[in-house]
């Protein structure tokens, strides 16, 4: 007599955040999921949980407290600056499928010296493309300036970077700021012993 195979479990995924319905409350935006849960998965959450946090009497109290807090300004009294700051934060963050949030990359150039074979070293320059610099042109200029080999390669994070043979970290900051004035010295960082150190 053969044992019966168990039937596969059917998982109901939320149409808003993409998580299984049971995990919506732990997701990035449970408030947006609630109407979908009410319509498509009424048995997953008790009505009190959805109602108490979205449409109960306590909600009015929360709104009143929220209005009072918005009326109190911590800054110099101008609400437009606070509004502008929150709008720029919204621009920085981009939503990906599944509710994940992708932050906009900071505009910075990172210079790292990698030692290989005990004596030879490679200087890696990352982030020049964020300032509108063409990496192929930049690698040619770096190669000519320091009389060494320089090439554009894909790094471990699948982003392009410039590998320059030799230790040129002593002069590279001055060269970058002189050649490309759009790159401020305050945006250039070195990686030393695993820590990011400002060049300026």
């Amino acid at each position: 007599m053969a044992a019966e195979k168990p039937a596969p479990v059917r998982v109901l995924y939320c149409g808003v955040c993409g998580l299984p319905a049971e995990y919506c409350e732990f997701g990035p935006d449970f408030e947006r999921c609630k109407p979908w849960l009410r319509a498509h998965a009424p048995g997953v959450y008790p009505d009190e949980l959805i109602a108490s946090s979205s449409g109960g009497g306590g909600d009015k109290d929360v709104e009143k407290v929220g209005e009072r807090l918005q009326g109190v300004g911590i800054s110099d009294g101008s609400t437009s600056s606070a509004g502008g700051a929150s709008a720029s934060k919204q621009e920085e963050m981009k939503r990906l499928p599944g509710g994940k949030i992708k932050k906009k990359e900071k505009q910075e150039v990172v210079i790292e010296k990698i030692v290989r074979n005990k004596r030879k070293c490679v200087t890696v320059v990352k982030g020049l493309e964020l300032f509108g610099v063409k990496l192929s042109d930049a690698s040619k200029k770096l190669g000519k300036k320091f009389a060494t080999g320089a090439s554009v390669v894909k790094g471990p994070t699948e982003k392009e970077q410039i590998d320059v043979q030799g230790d040129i970290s002593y002069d590279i900051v001055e060269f970058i700021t002189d050649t490309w004035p759009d790159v401020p010295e305050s945006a250039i960082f070195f990686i030393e012993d695993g820590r990011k150190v400002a060049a300026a």
Side-chain angles (χ1 to χ4, degrees):
M1 182 156 105
E4 288 184 35
K5 286 188 178 179
V9 178
R10 290 194 152 280
V11 179
L12 177 66
Y13 289 97
C14 176
V16 178
C17 68
L19 293 172
E22 299 88 33
Y23 293 99
C24 276
E25 66 181 304
F26 306 110
D29 202 355
F30 186 47
E31 293 298 319
R32 285 182 39 211
C33 295
K34 285 177 186 175
W36 189 91
L37 289 170
R38 272 194 220 103
H40 296 89
V44 175
Y45 289 103
D47 289 337
E48 305 90 48
L49 176 68
I50 293 178
S52 67
S53 58
S54 66
D59 195 33
K60 291 177 184 172
D61 297 336
V62 172
E63 283 180 15
K64 286 180 186 173
V65 171
E67 286 173 12
R68 283 209 313 250
L69 284 175
Q70 282 182 345
V72 176
I74 297 174
S75 63
D76 58 352
S78 61
T79 54
S80 62
S81 64
S86 65
S88 67
K89 279 195 175 184
Q90 287 294 332
E91 288 174 18
E92 280 183 26
M93 296 191 305
K94 181 181 173 187
R95 283 205 178 269
L96 295 173
K100 292 181 184 174
I101 296 174
K102 182 180 181 182
K103 290 187 179 174
K104 199 174 185 182
E105 284 187 76
K106 287 184 180 174
Q107 281 198 322
E108 59 187 24
V109 176
V110 178
I111 299 165
E112 184 178 5
K113 185 175 91 173
I114 299 171
V115 179
R116 49 187 190 91
N117 297 344
K118 293 178 185 168
R119 291 184 322 206
K120 298 188 187 256
C121 65
V122 174
T123 305
V124 179
V125 182
K126 305 174 194 169
L128 273 176
E129 73 278 358
L130 298 173
F131 293 94
V133 177
K134 271 185 85 176
L135 293 185
S136 56
D137 295 343
S139 70
K140 283 180 189 173
K141 287 181 181 178
L142 285 166
K144 279 184 182 175
K145 165 72 177 169
F146 296 105
T148 184
S151 60
V152 179
V153 294
K154 281 204 176 188
T157 58
E158 293 297 313
K159 291 185 180 167
E160 290 190 330
Q161 63 190 29
I162 300 174
D163 282 3
V164 184
Q165 293 176 17
D167 182 9
I168 60 164
S169 55
Y170 50 89
D171 272 343
I172 196 164
V173 175
E174 188 180 334
F175 177 71
I176 288 173
T177 53
D178 290 348
T179 311
W180 299 285
D182 295 345
V183 182
E185 194 170 339
S186 59
I188 300 175
F189 295 92
F190 286 105
I191 292 186
E192 294 174 1
D193 302 325
R195 289 179 292 120
K196 197 186 280 189
V197 181

